[in-house]
Amino acid sequence: MLGANSNLCLNSYLAATATETHQARDKCRVRTRATIRIEMEIGGLDSNGREFKSADEMWREEVGDSQKKLDWYRNGVGYWQGVDASVDGVLGGYAHVNEPDIKASEAFLNTLLTELVPNGGRNQHLVALDCGSGIGRVTKNLLIRYFNEVDLLEPVSHFLEAARENLAPENLSVSEEHKAFNFYCTPLQEFTPDAQRYDVIWVQWCIGHLADDDFVSFFKRAKAGLKPGGFFVLKENLAKSGFVLDNEDKSITRSDVYFKELFTQCGLNIYKLKDQKGFPDELFAVRMYALTTETLKKVGGSRPKRKANRPAIIK
Ligand code: SAH
């Protein structure tokens, strides 16, 4: 996720020079560009600059038995419990990316609704799920305007309470036909949606908290929560290669190749993808994936751009 202030020193995995490794051990907040050496896709680093030979090695250490897994999720949620329930809080001190984020998401969503939903969704009762919703930023600024009902799923109770407040009818500028409906205080790995409830399931800046096995089982369960023709939007930070483990909030940033491998395991197809533009250079690249449960004709969209020397941050 675009995350808290602390997790802004993750470029380190891109380079393995002694200096950079040393720098990665500093508790810096923001890291600027580093020399990039593309690592093997399978390897990764953590936020202290430690190298892992494979994702398996890292997952064994982090979630290798049931106690470790409990700790992983407890620490992940624990991290966010200490963060302010504000836009700046959920965006890791980068409140100003809210606007370009919403703008790009809206353009992407519009295209998808036009192409995938009969009549662009007009005159239909549309329902969305906002996963890892935080304080309801995405729902309030985007989803509530397009969907008649939006459910929010968020494991951190003070975020969900803030969302409830932010999305109370008197604090919204949409008609009564658009409302935030259910507020689930549950983590993704424990959630099973009602069958065929949703036109769109939006997953932004939270899937990094899920271990691979829970990632796959979540999407497999959630597929049954989509209406026929419904789709997922996954908007996430991208590692240049492999993965970056954030030791502080217990999340990982995956590469495009890593995501694609998981999508295959989930039985999901990439219908379209689009890169976020207009974010500060020091942040991780951000990509939006529209995922469908069946292969549809139109695949692709804007091609991922490989920008040399463009490390990113966030989390
Ligand atoms: N999607 C929101 C919030 C991003 S911040 C937005 O874009 O504004 C990351 C969010 O992921 C936090 O609200 C955090 O509580 C949530 N999160 C952490 N662990 C999670 C888990 N296991 N399942 C679902 N959400 C989780």
Side-chain angles (χ1 to χ4, degrees), residues 1 73 77 80 90 131-134 137-138 154-156 159 187-189 204-206 209-210:
M1 57 270 73
Y73 286 118
V77 164
W80 290 104
V90 295
C131 293
S133 65
R137 183 187 66 87
V138 177
E154 168 57 50
V156 171
F159 282 174
L188 276 181
Q189 69 276 10
Q204 180 164 355
W205 281 325
C206 62
H209 281 289
L210 264 61

mmCIF file with all atom_site columns, all heavy atoms in Angstrom, residues 1 73 77 80 90 131-134 137-138 154-156 159 187-189 204-206 209-210, ligand 1:
data_model
loop_
_atom_site.group_PDB
_atom_site.id
_atom_site.type_symbol
_atom_site.label_atom_id
_atom_site.label_alt_id
_atom_site.label_comp_id
_atom_site.label_asym_id
_atom_site.label_entity_id
_atom_site.label_seq_id
_atom_site.pdbx_PDB_ins_code
_atom_site.Cartn_x
_atom_site.Cartn_y
_atom_site.Cartn_z
_atom_site.occupancy
_atom_site.B_iso_or_equiv
_atom_site.pdbx_formal_charge
_atom_site.auth_seq_id
_atom_site.auth_comp_id
_atom_site.auth_asym_id
_atom_site.auth_atom_id
_atom_site.pdbx_PDB_model_num
ATOM   1   N N   . MET A 1 1   ? 0.826   -1.189  0.000  1.00 0.00 ? 1   MET A N   1
ATOM   2   C CA  . MET A 1 1   ? 0.000   0.000   0.000  1.00 0.00 ? 1   MET A CA  1
ATOM   3   C C   . MET A 1 1   ? 0.851   1.225   0.000  1.00 0.00 ? 1   MET A C   1
ATOM   4   O O   . MET A 1 1   ? 1.980   1.187   0.401  1.00 0.00 ? 1   MET A O   1
ATOM   5   C CB  . MET A 1 1   ? -0.889  0.025   1.210  1.00 0.00 ? 1   MET A CB  1
ATOM   6   C CG  . MET A 1 1   ? -0.117  -0.046  2.472  1.00 0.00 ? 1   MET A CG  1
ATOM   7   S SD  . MET A 1 1   ? 0.167   -1.677  3.067  1.00 0.00 ? 1   MET A SD  1
ATOM   8   C CE  . MET A 1 1   ? 1.352   -2.294  1.984  1.00 0.00 ? 1   MET A CE  1
ATOM   9   N N   . TYR A 1 73  ? 0.176   -11.304 10.557 1.00 0.00 ? 73  TYR A N   1
ATOM   10  C CA  . TYR A 1 73  ? -1.053  -10.521 10.385 1.00 0.00 ? 73  TYR A CA  1
ATOM   11  C C   . TYR A 1 73  ? -1.296  -9.585  11.566 1.00 0.00 ? 73  TYR A C   1
ATOM   12  O O   . TYR A 1 73  ? -1.767  -8.461  11.402 1.00 0.00 ? 73  TYR A O   1
ATOM   13  C CB  . TYR A 1 73  ? -2.251  -11.449 10.150 1.00 0.00 ? 73  TYR A CB  1
ATOM   14  C CG  . TYR A 1 73  ? -2.226  -12.030 8.749  1.00 0.00 ? 73  TYR A CG  1
ATOM   15  C CD1 . TYR A 1 73  ? -2.119  -13.397 8.525  1.00 0.00 ? 73  TYR A CD1 1
ATOM   16  C CD2 . TYR A 1 73  ? -2.293  -11.186 7.638  1.00 0.00 ? 73  TYR A CD2 1
ATOM   17  C CE1 . TYR A 1 73  ? -2.075  -13.926 7.239  1.00 0.00 ? 73  TYR A CE1 1
ATOM   18  C CE2 . TYR A 1 73  ? -2.259  -11.698 6.340  1.00 0.00 ? 73  TYR A CE2 1
ATOM   19  C CZ  . TYR A 1 73  ? -2.143  -13.068 6.147  1.00 0.00 ? 73  TYR A CZ  1
ATOM   20  O OH  . TYR A 1 73  ? -2.101  -13.561 4.867  1.00 0.00 ? 73  TYR A OH  1
ATOM   21  N N   . VAL A 1 77  ? -1.640  -5.471  11.027 1.00 0.00 ? 77  VAL A N   1
ATOM   22  C CA  . VAL A 1 77  ? -2.759  -4.666  11.513 1.00 0.00 ? 77  VAL A CA  1
ATOM   23  C C   . VAL A 1 77  ? -2.281  -3.736  12.633 1.00 0.00 ? 77  VAL A C   1
ATOM   24  O O   . VAL A 1 77  ? -2.663  -2.557  12.691 1.00 0.00 ? 77  VAL A O   1
ATOM   25  C CB  . VAL A 1 77  ? -3.915  -5.577  11.975 1.00 0.00 ? 77  VAL A CB  1
ATOM   26  C CG1 . VAL A 1 77  ? -4.907  -4.822  12.839 1.00 0.00 ? 77  VAL A CG1 1
ATOM   27  C CG2 . VAL A 1 77  ? -4.625  -6.174  10.764 1.00 0.00 ? 77  VAL A CG2 1
ATOM   28  N N   . TRP A 1 80  ? -0.949  -0.463  11.421 1.00 0.00 ? 80  TRP A N   1
ATOM   29  C CA  . TRP A 1 80  ? -1.949  0.531   11.002 1.00 0.00 ? 80  TRP A CA  1
ATOM   30  C C   . TRP A 1 80  ? -2.768  1.057   12.176 1.00 0.00 ? 80  TRP A C   1
ATOM   31  O O   . TRP A 1 80  ? -3.318  2.155   12.120 1.00 0.00 ? 80  TRP A O   1
ATOM   32  C CB  . TRP A 1 80  ? -2.863  -0.058  9.920  1.00 0.00 ? 80  TRP A CB  1
ATOM   33  C CG  . TRP A 1 80  ? -2.114  -0.227  8.634  1.00 0.00 ? 80  TRP A CG  1
ATOM   34  C CD1 . TRP A 1 80  ? -1.639  -1.391  8.111  1.00 0.00 ? 80  TRP A CD1 1
ATOM   35  C CD2 . TRP A 1 80  ? -1.711  0.804   7.721  1.00 0.00 ? 80  TRP A CD2 1
ATOM   36  N NE1 . TRP A 1 80  ? -0.968  -1.149  6.926  1.00 0.00 ? 80  TRP A NE1 1
ATOM   37  C CE2 . TRP A 1 80  ? -0.998  0.184   6.673  1.00 0.00 ? 80  TRP A CE2 1
ATOM   38  C CE3 . TRP A 1 80  ? -1.886  2.188   7.692  1.00 0.00 ? 80  TRP A CE3 1
ATOM   39  C CZ2 . TRP A 1 80  ? -0.473  0.914   5.602  1.00 0.00 ? 80  TRP A CZ2 1
ATOM   40  C CZ3 . TRP A 1 80  ? -1.364  2.918   6.626  1.00 0.00 ? 80  TRP A CZ3 1
ATOM   41  C CH2 . TRP A 1 80  ? -0.657  2.274   5.604  1.00 0.00 ? 80  TRP A CH2 1
ATOM   42  N N   . VAL A 1 90  ? -3.276  7.288   5.777  1.00 0.00 ? 90  VAL A N   1
ATOM   43  C CA  . VAL A 1 90  ? -3.335  6.095   4.919  1.00 0.00 ? 90  VAL A CA  1
ATOM   44  C C   . VAL A 1 90  ? -2.443  6.223   3.696  1.00 0.00 ? 90  VAL A C   1
ATOM   45  O O   . VAL A 1 90  ? -2.106  5.218   3.066  1.00 0.00 ? 90  VAL A O   1
ATOM   46  C CB  . VAL A 1 90  ? -4.790  5.721   4.486  1.00 0.00 ? 90  VAL A CB  1
ATOM   47  C CG1 . VAL A 1 90  ? -5.615  5.307   5.682  1.00 0.00 ? 90  VAL A CG1 1
ATOM   48  C CG2 . VAL A 1 90  ? -5.456  6.853   3.714  1.00 0.00 ? 90  VAL A CG2 1
ATOM   49  N N   . CYS A 1 131 ? -11.885 -3.056  -0.704 1.00 0.00 ? 131 CYS A N   1
ATOM   50  C CA  . CYS A 1 131 ? -11.103 -3.934  0.190  1.00 0.00 ? 131 CYS A CA  1
ATOM   51  C C   . CYS A 1 131 ? -9.937  -3.168  0.829  1.00 0.00 ? 131 CYS A C   1
ATOM   52  O O   . CYS A 1 131 ? -9.229  -2.432  0.143  1.00 0.00 ? 131 CYS A O   1
ATOM   53  C CB  . CYS A 1 131 ? -10.530 -5.100  -0.601 1.00 0.00 ? 131 CYS A CB  1
ATOM   54  S SG  . CYS A 1 131 ? -11.799 -6.203  -1.210 1.00 0.00 ? 131 CYS A SG  1
ATOM   55  N N   . GLY A 1 132 ? -9.712  -3.388  2.094  1.00 0.00 ? 132 GLY A N   1
ATOM   56  C CA  . GLY A 1 132 ? -8.641  -2.667  2.796  1.00 0.00 ? 132 GLY A CA  1
ATOM   57  C C   . GLY A 1 132 ? -8.904  -1.185  2.656  1.00 0.00 ? 132 GLY A C   1
ATOM   58  O O   . GLY A 1 132 ? -8.036  -0.399  2.298  1.00 0.00 ? 132 GLY A O   1
ATOM   59  N N   . SER A 1 133 ? -10.154 -0.813  2.942  1.00 0.00 ? 133 SER A N   1
ATOM   60  C CA  . SER A 1 133 ? -10.663 0.518   2.583  1.00 0.00 ? 133 SER A CA  1
ATOM   61  C C   . SER A 1 133 ? -10.049 1.647   3.394  1.00 0.00 ? 133 SER A C   1
ATOM   62  O O   . SER A 1 133 ? -10.208 2.811   3.038  1.00 0.00 ? 133 SER A O   1
ATOM   63  C CB  . SER A 1 133 ? -12.169 0.553   2.793  1.00 0.00 ? 133 SER A CB  1
ATOM   64  O OG  . SER A 1 133 ? -12.437 0.405   4.184  1.00 0.00 ? 133 SER A OG  1
ATOM   65  N N   . GLY A 1 134 ? -9.372  1.310   4.494  1.00 0.00 ? 134 GLY A N   1
ATOM   66  C CA  . GLY A 1 134 ? -8.864  2.392   5.335  1.00 0.00 ? 134 GLY A CA  1
ATOM   67  C C   . GLY A 1 134 ? -10.012 3.262   5.810  1.00 0.00 ? 134 GLY A C   1
ATOM   68  O O   . GLY A 1 134 ? -11.037 2.773   6.286  1.00 0.00 ? 134 GLY A O   1
ATOM   69  N N   . ARG A 1 137 ? -11.320 6.442   1.764  1.00 0.00 ? 137 ARG A N   1
ATOM   70  C CA  . ARG A 1 137 ? -10.858 7.450   0.805  1.00 0.00 ? 137 ARG A CA  1
ATOM   71  C C   . ARG A 1 137 ? -11.304 7.137   -0.627 1.00 0.00 ? 137 ARG A C   1
ATOM   72  O O   . ARG A 1 137 ? -11.848 8.004   -1.326 1.00 0.00 ? 137 ARG A O   1
ATOM   73  C CB  . ARG A 1 137 ? -9.313  7.524   0.873  1.00 0.00 ? 137 ARG A CB  1
ATOM   74  C CG  . ARG A 1 137 ? -8.659  8.575   0.005  1.00 0.00 ? 137 ARG A CG  1
ATOM   75  C CD  . ARG A 1 137 ? -7.135  8.418   0.035  1.00 0.00 ? 137 ARG A CD  1
ATOM   76  N NE  . ARG A 1 137 ? -6.703  7.175   -0.586 1.00 0.00 ? 137 ARG A NE  1
ATOM   77  C CZ  . ARG A 1 137 ? -6.461  7.008   -1.880 1.00 0.00 ? 137 ARG A CZ  1
ATOM   78  N NH1 . ARG A 1 137 ? -6.580  8.048   -2.692 1.00 0.00 ? 137 ARG A NH1 1
ATOM   79  N NH2 . ARG A 1 137 ? -6.079  5.849   -2.363 1.00 0.00 ? 137 ARG A NH2 1
ATOM   80  N N   . VAL A 1 138 ? -11.103 5.885   -1.052 1.00 0.00 ? 138 VAL A N   1
ATOM   81  C CA  . VAL A 1 138 ? -11.434 5.521   -2.443 1.00 0.00 ? 138 VAL A CA  1
ATOM   82  C C   . VAL A 1 138 ? -12.948 5.520   -2.635 1.00 0.00 ? 138 VAL A C   1
ATOM   83  O O   . VAL A 1 138 ? -13.470 5.983   -3.658 1.00 0.00 ? 138 VAL A O   1
ATOM   84  C CB  . VAL A 1 138 ? -10.833 4.142   -2.805 1.00 0.00 ? 138 VAL A CB  1
ATOM   85  C CG1 . VAL A 1 138 ? -11.222 3.731   -4.211 1.00 0.00 ? 138 VAL A CG1 1
ATOM   86  C CG2 . VAL A 1 138 ? -9.304  4.160   -2.659 1.00 0.00 ? 138 VAL A CG2 1
ATOM   87  N N   . GLU A 1 154 ? -12.350 -3.582  6.203  1.00 0.00 ? 154 GLU A N   1
ATOM   88  C CA  . GLU A 1 154 ? -11.148 -2.972  6.789  1.00 0.00 ? 154 GLU A CA  1
ATOM   89  C C   . GLU A 1 154 ? -10.928 -3.557  8.190  1.00 0.00 ? 154 GLU A C   1
ATOM   90  O O   . GLU A 1 154 ? -11.828 -3.485  9.022  1.00 0.00 ? 154 GLU A O   1
ATOM   91  C CB  . GLU A 1 154 ? -11.347 -1.441  6.846  1.00 0.00 ? 154 GLU A CB  1
ATOM   92  C CG  . GLU A 1 154 ? -10.336 -0.689  7.678  1.00 0.00 ? 154 GLU A CG  1
ATOM   93  C CD  . GLU A 1 154 ? -8.898  -0.911  7.259  1.00 0.00 ? 154 GLU A CD  1
ATOM   94  O OE1 . GLU A 1 154 ? -8.576  -0.787  6.072  1.00 0.00 ? 154 GLU A OE1 1
ATOM   95  O OE2 . GLU A 1 154 ? -8.075  -1.240  8.152  1.00 0.00 ? 154 GLU A OE2 1
ATOM   96  N N   . PRO A 1 155 ? -9.756  -4.132  8.430  1.00 0.00 ? 155 PRO A N   1
ATOM   97  C CA  . PRO A 1 155 ? -9.540  -4.780  9.732  1.00 0.00 ? 155 PRO A CA  1
ATOM   98  C C   . PRO A 1 155 ? -9.222  -3.836  10.890 1.00 0.00 ? 155 PRO A C   1
ATOM   99  O O   . PRO A 1 155 ? -9.282  -4.246  12.040 1.00 0.00 ? 155 PRO A O   1
ATOM   100 C CB  . PRO A 1 155 ? -8.343  -5.704  9.461  1.00 0.00 ? 155 PRO A CB  1
ATOM   101 C CG  . PRO A 1 155 ? -7.595  -5.053  8.354  1.00 0.00 ? 155 PRO A CG  1
ATOM   102 C CD  . PRO A 1 155 ? -8.616  -4.342  7.518  1.00 0.00 ? 155 PRO A CD  1
ATOM   103 N N   . VAL A 1 156 ? -8.860  -2.600  10.572 1.00 0.00 ? 156 VAL A N   1
ATOM   104 C CA  . VAL A 1 156 ? -8.452  -1.679  11.641 1.00 0.00 ? 156 VAL A CA  1
ATOM   105 C C   . VAL A 1 156 ? -9.667  -0.836  12.052 1.00 0.00 ? 156 VAL A C   1
ATOM   106 O O   . VAL A 1 156 ? -10.166 -0.025  11.264 1.00 0.00 ? 156 VAL A O   1
ATOM   107 C CB  . VAL A 1 156 ? -7.272  -0.801  11.159 1.00 0.00 ? 156 VAL A CB  1
ATOM   108 C CG1 . VAL A 1 156 ? -6.955  0.307   12.148 1.00 0.00 ? 156 VAL A CG1 1
ATOM   109 C CG2 . VAL A 1 156 ? -6.040  -1.682  10.927 1.00 0.00 ? 156 VAL A CG2 1
ATOM   110 N N   . PHE A 1 159 ? -9.966  2.998   11.682 1.00 0.00 ? 159 PHE A N   1
ATOM   111 C CA  . PHE A 1 159 ? -10.119 3.426   10.281 1.00 0.00 ? 159 PHE A CA  1
ATOM   112 C C   . PHE A 1 159 ? -11.572 3.231   9.837  1.00 0.00 ? 159 PHE A C   1
ATOM   113 O O   . PHE A 1 159 ? -12.168 4.092   9.194  1.00 0.00 ? 159 PHE A O   1
ATOM   114 C CB  . PHE A 1 159 ? -9.214  2.609   9.350  1.00 0.00 ? 159 PHE A CB  1
ATOM   115 C CG  . PHE A 1 159 ? -7.758  3.020   9.356  1.00 0.00 ? 159 PHE A CG  1
ATOM   116 C CD1 . PHE A 1 159 ? -6.825  2.269   8.642  1.00 0.00 ? 159 PHE A CD1 1
ATOM   117 C CD2 . PHE A 1 159 ? -7.314  4.141   10.038 1.00 0.00 ? 159 PHE A CD2 1
ATOM   118 C CE1 . PHE A 1 159 ? -5.479  2.629   8.619  1.00 0.00 ? 159 PHE A CE1 1
ATOM   119 C CE2 . PHE A 1 159 ? -5.971  4.515   10.025 1.00 0.00 ? 159 PHE A CE2 1
ATOM   120 C CZ  . PHE A 1 159 ? -5.055  3.746   9.308  1.00 0.00 ? 159 PHE A CZ  1
ATOM   121 N N   . PRO A 1 187 ? -10.155 -8.819  8.186  1.00 0.00 ? 187 PRO A N   1
ATOM   122 C CA  . PRO A 1 187 ? -9.063  -8.814  7.199  1.00 0.00 ? 187 PRO A CA  1
ATOM   123 C C   . PRO A 1 187 ? -9.438  -9.639  5.967  1.00 0.00 ? 187 PRO A C   1
ATOM   124 O O   . PRO A 1 187 ? -10.280 -10.547 6.053  1.00 0.00 ? 187 PRO A O   1
ATOM   125 C CB  . PRO A 1 187 ? -7.911  -9.453  7.960  1.00 0.00 ? 187 PRO A CB  1
ATOM   126 C CG  . PRO A 1 187 ? -8.550  -10.299 9.012  1.00 0.00 ? 187 PRO A CG  1
ATOM   127 C CD  . PRO A 1 187 ? -9.889  -9.698  9.328  1.00 0.00 ? 187 PRO A CD  1
ATOM   128 N N   . LEU A 1 188 ? -8.791  -9.309  4.869  1.00 0.00 ? 188 LEU A N   1
ATOM   129 C CA  . LEU A 1 188 ? -9.094  -9.988  3.596  1.00 0.00 ? 188 LEU A CA  1
ATOM   130 C C   . LEU A 1 188 ? -8.976  -11.505 3.687  1.00 0.00 ? 188 LEU A C   1
ATOM   131 O O   . LEU A 1 188 ? -9.781  -12.233 3.109  1.00 0.00 ? 188 LEU A O   1
ATOM   132 C CB  . LEU A 1 188 ? -8.090  -9.526  2.526  1.00 0.00 ? 188 LEU A CB  1
ATOM   133 C CG  . LEU A 1 188 ? -8.373  -8.237  1.788  1.00 0.00 ? 188 LEU A CG  1
ATOM   134 C CD1 . LEU A 1 188 ? -7.281  -8.001  0.767  1.00 0.00 ? 188 LEU A CD1 1
ATOM   135 C CD2 . LEU A 1 188 ? -9.718  -8.321  1.105  1.00 0.00 ? 188 LEU A CD2 1
ATOM   136 N N   . GLN A 1 189 ? -7.965  -11.968 4.408  1.00 0.00 ? 189 GLN A N   1
ATOM   137 C CA  . GLN A 1 189 ? -7.711  -13.412 4.438  1.00 0.00 ? 189 GLN A CA  1
ATOM   138 C C   . GLN A 1 189 ? -8.810  -14.179 5.171  1.00 0.00 ? 189 GLN A C   1
ATOM   139 O O   . GLN A 1 189 ? -8.874  -15.392 5.088  1.00 0.00 ? 189 GLN A O   1
ATOM   140 C CB  . GLN A 1 189 ? -6.324  -13.718 5.029  1.00 0.00 ? 189 GLN A CB  1
ATOM   141 C CG  . GLN A 1 189 ? -6.141  -13.435 6.506  1.00 0.00 ? 189 GLN A CG  1
ATOM   142 C CD  . GLN A 1 189 ? -5.791  -11.982 6.814  1.00 0.00 ? 189 GLN A CD  1
ATOM   143 O OE1 . GLN A 1 189 ? -5.853  -11.129 5.944  1.00 0.00 ? 189 GLN A OE1 1
ATOM   144 N NE2 . GLN A 1 189 ? -5.433  -11.704 8.045  1.00 0.00 ? 189 GLN A NE2 1
ATOM   145 N N   . GLN A 1 204 ? -7.103  -1.945  -3.270 1.00 0.00 ? 204 GLN A N   1
ATOM   146 C CA  . GLN A 1 204 ? -6.035  -0.957  -3.471 1.00 0.00 ? 204 GLN A CA  1
ATOM   147 C C   . GLN A 1 204 ? -5.142  -0.844  -2.247 1.00 0.00 ? 204 GLN A C   1
ATOM   148 O O   . GLN A 1 204 ? -5.609  -0.572  -1.140 1.00 0.00 ? 204 GLN A O   1
ATOM   149 C CB  . GLN A 1 204 ? -6.661  0.409   -3.799 1.00 0.00 ? 204 GLN A CB  1
ATOM   150 C CG  . GLN A 1 204 ? -5.593  1.482   -4.012 1.00 0.00 ? 204 GLN A CG  1
ATOM   151 C CD  . GLN A 1 204 ? -6.120  2.721   -4.702 1.00 0.00 ? 204 GLN A CD  1
ATOM   152 O OE1 . GLN A 1 204 ? -7.278  2.762   -5.122 1.00 0.00 ? 204 GLN A OE1 1
ATOM   153 N NE2 . GLN A 1 204 ? -5.271  3.735   -4.833 1.00 0.00 ? 204 GLN A NE2 1
ATOM   154 N N   . TRP A 1 205 ? -3.870  -0.976  -2.493 1.00 0.00 ? 205 TRP A N   1
ATOM   155 C CA  . TRP A 1 205 ? -2.845  -0.748  -1.471 1.00 0.00 ? 205 TRP A CA  1
ATOM   156 C C   . TRP A 1 205 ? -3.072  -1.541  -0.180 1.00 0.00 ? 205 TRP A C   1
ATOM   157 O O   . TRP A 1 205 ? -2.911  -1.022  0.909  1.00 0.00 ? 205 TRP A O   1
ATOM   158 C CB  . TRP A 1 205 ? -2.709  0.755   -1.182 1.00 0.00 ? 205 TRP A CB  1
ATOM   159 C CG  . TRP A 1 205 ? -1.907  1.468   -2.222 1.00 0.00 ? 205 TRP A CG  1
ATOM   160 C CD1 . TRP A 1 205 ? -0.841  0.989   -2.910 1.00 0.00 ? 205 TRP A CD1 1
ATOM   161 C CD2 . TRP A 1 205 ? -2.095  2.810   -2.691 1.00 0.00 ? 205 TRP A CD2 1
ATOM   162 N NE1 . TRP A 1 205 ? -0.360  1.936   -3.779 1.00 0.00 ? 205 TRP A NE1 1
ATOM   163 C CE2 . TRP A 1 205 ? -1.113  3.061   -3.661 1.00 0.00 ? 205 TRP A CE2 1
ATOM   164 C CE3 . TRP A 1 205 ? -3.002  3.824   -2.383 1.00 0.00 ? 205 TRP A CE3 1
ATOM   165 C CZ2 . TRP A 1 205 ? -1.000  4.285   -4.331 1.00 0.00 ? 205 TRP A CZ2 1
ATOM   166 C CZ3 . TRP A 1 205 ? -2.891  5.041   -3.056 1.00 0.00 ? 205 TRP A CZ3 1
ATOM   167 C CH2 . TRP A 1 205 ? -1.901  5.268   -4.013 1.00 0.00 ? 205 TRP A CH2 1
ATOM   168 N N   . CYS A 1 206 ? -3.486  -2.779  -0.347 1.00 0.00 ? 206 CYS A N   1
ATOM   169 C CA  . CYS A 1 206 ? -3.613  -3.618  0.859  1.00 0.00 ? 206 CYS A CA  1
ATOM   170 C C   . CYS A 1 206 ? -3.213  -5.071  0.610  1.00 0.00 ? 206 CYS A C   1
ATOM   171 O O   . CYS A 1 206 ? -2.925  -5.799  1.562  1.00 0.00 ? 206 CYS A O   1
ATOM   172 C CB  . CYS A 1 206 ? -5.030  -3.561  1.422  1.00 0.00 ? 206 CYS A CB  1
ATOM   173 S SG  . CYS A 1 206 ? -6.286  -4.180  0.312  1.00 0.00 ? 206 CYS A SG  1
ATOM   174 N N   . HIS A 1 209 ? -0.299  -7.081  2.208  1.00 0.00 ? 209 HIS A N   1
ATOM   175 C CA  . HIS A 1 209 ? -0.336  -7.659  3.550  1.00 0.00 ? 209 HIS A CA  1
ATOM   176 C C   . HIS A 1 209 ? -0.619  -9.155  3.522  1.00 0.00 ? 209 HIS A C   1
ATOM   177 O O   . HIS A 1 209 ? -0.481  -9.826  4.547  1.00 0.00 ? 209 HIS A O   1
ATOM   178 C CB  . HIS A 1 209 ? -1.391  -6.951  4.411  1.00 0.00 ? 209 HIS A CB  1
ATOM   179 C CG  . HIS A 1 209 ? -0.908  -5.641  4.941  1.00 0.00 ? 209 HIS A CG  1
ATOM   180 N ND1 . HIS A 1 209 ? 0.055   -5.551  5.922  1.00 0.00 ? 209 HIS A ND1 1
ATOM   181 C CD2 . HIS A 1 209 ? -1.222  -4.360  4.607  1.00 0.00 ? 209 HIS A CD2 1
ATOM   182 C CE1 . HIS A 1 209 ? 0.303   -4.277  6.179  1.00 0.00 ? 209 HIS A CE1 1
ATOM   183 N NE2 . HIS A 1 209 ? -0.449  -3.536  5.383  1.00 0.00 ? 209 HIS A NE2 1
ATOM   184 N N   . LEU A 1 210 ? -1.062  -9.655  2.372  1.00 0.00 ? 210 LEU A N   1
ATOM   185 C CA  . LEU A 1 210 ? -1.421  -11.077 2.329  1.00 0.00 ? 210 LEU A CA  1
ATOM   186 C C   . LEU A 1 210 ? -0.269  -11.950 1.840  1.00 0.00 ? 210 LEU A C   1
ATOM   187 O O   . LEU A 1 210 ? 0.370   -11.654 0.820  1.00 0.00 ? 210 LEU A O   1
ATOM   188 C CB  . LEU A 1 210 ? -2.644  -11.298 1.421  1.00 0.00 ? 210 LEU A CB  1
ATOM   189 C CG  . LEU A 1 210 ? -3.983  -11.343 2.190  1.00 0.00 ? 210 LEU A CG  1
ATOM   190 C CD1 . LEU A 1 210 ? -4.247  -10.034 2.922  1.00 0.00 ? 210 LEU A CD1 1
ATOM   191 C CD2 . LEU A 1 210 ? -5.132  -11.704 1.285  1.00 0.00 ? 210 LEU A CD2 1
HETATM 192 N N1  . SAH B 2 .   ? -7.099  1.334   0.303  1.00 0.00 ? 1   SAH B N1  1
HETATM 193 C C1  . SAH B 2 .   ? -7.066  2.484   1.169  1.00 0.00 ? 1   SAH B C1  1
HETATM 194 C C2  . SAH B 2 .   ? -6.135  2.324   2.369  1.00 0.00 ? 1   SAH B C2  1
HETATM 195 C C3  . SAH B 2 .   ? -4.677  2.043   2.043  1.00 0.00 ? 1   SAH B C3  1
HETATM 196 S S1  . SAH B 2 .   ? -3.677  1.913   3.502  1.00 0.00 ? 1   SAH B S1  1
HETATM 197 C C4  . SAH B 2 .   ? -6.690  3.708   0.358  1.00 0.00 ? 1   SAH B C4  1
HETATM 198 O O1  . SAH B 2 .   ? -6.185  3.558   -0.766 1.00 0.00 ? 1   SAH B O1  1
HETATM 199 O O2  . SAH B 2 .   ? -6.888  4.810   0.849  1.00 0.00 ? 1   SAH B O2  1
HETATM 200 C C5  . SAH B 2 .   ? -3.585  0.137   3.695  1.00 0.00 ? 1   SAH B C5  1
HETATM 201 C C6  . SAH B 2 .   ? -4.823  -0.451  4.333  1.00 0.00 ? 1   SAH B C6  1
HETATM 202 O O3  . SAH B 2 .   ? -4.707  -1.889  4.341  1.00 0.00 ? 1   SAH B O3  1
HETATM 203 C C7  . SAH B 2 .   ? -4.999  -0.027  5.780  1.00 0.00 ? 1   SAH B C7  1
HETATM 204 O O4  . SAH B 2 .   ? -6.277  0.483   5.965  1.00 0.00 ? 1   SAH B O4  1
HETATM 205 C C8  . SAH B 2 .   ? -4.790  -1.319  6.543  1.00 0.00 ? 1   SAH B C8  1
HETATM 206 O O5  . SAH B 2 .   ? -5.492  -1.378  7.761  1.00 0.00 ? 1   SAH B O5  1
HETATM 207 C C9  . SAH B 2 .   ? -5.288  -2.332  5.546  1.00 0.00 ? 1   SAH B C9  1
HETATM 208 N N2  . SAH B 2 .   ? -4.877  -3.714  5.843  1.00 0.00 ? 1   SAH B N2  1
HETATM 209 C C10 . SAH B 2 .   ? -3.807  -4.137  6.550  1.00 0.00 ? 1   SAH B C10 1
HETATM 210 N N3  . SAH B 2 .   ? -3.808  -5.476  6.643  1.00 0.00 ? 1   SAH B N3  1
HETATM 211 C C11 . SAH B 2 .   ? -4.908  -5.915  5.963  1.00 0.00 ? 1   SAH B C11 1
HETATM 212 C C12 . SAH B 2 .   ? -5.472  -7.207  5.735  1.00 0.00 ? 1   SAH B C12 1
HETATM 213 N N4  . SAH B 2 .   ? -4.898  -8.309  6.192  1.00 0.00 ? 1   SAH B N4  1
HETATM 214 N N5  . SAH B 2 .   ? -6.640  -7.270  5.043  1.00 0.00 ? 1   SAH B N5  1
HETATM 215 C C13 . SAH B 2 .   ? -7.220  -6.131  4.581  1.00 0.00 ? 1   SAH B C13 1
HETATM 216 N N6  . SAH B 2 .   ? -6.726  -4.898  4.781  1.00 0.00 ? 1   SAH B N6  1
HETATM 217 C C14 . SAH B 2 .   ? -5.587  -4.780  5.465  1.00 0.00 ? 1   SAH B C14 1
#
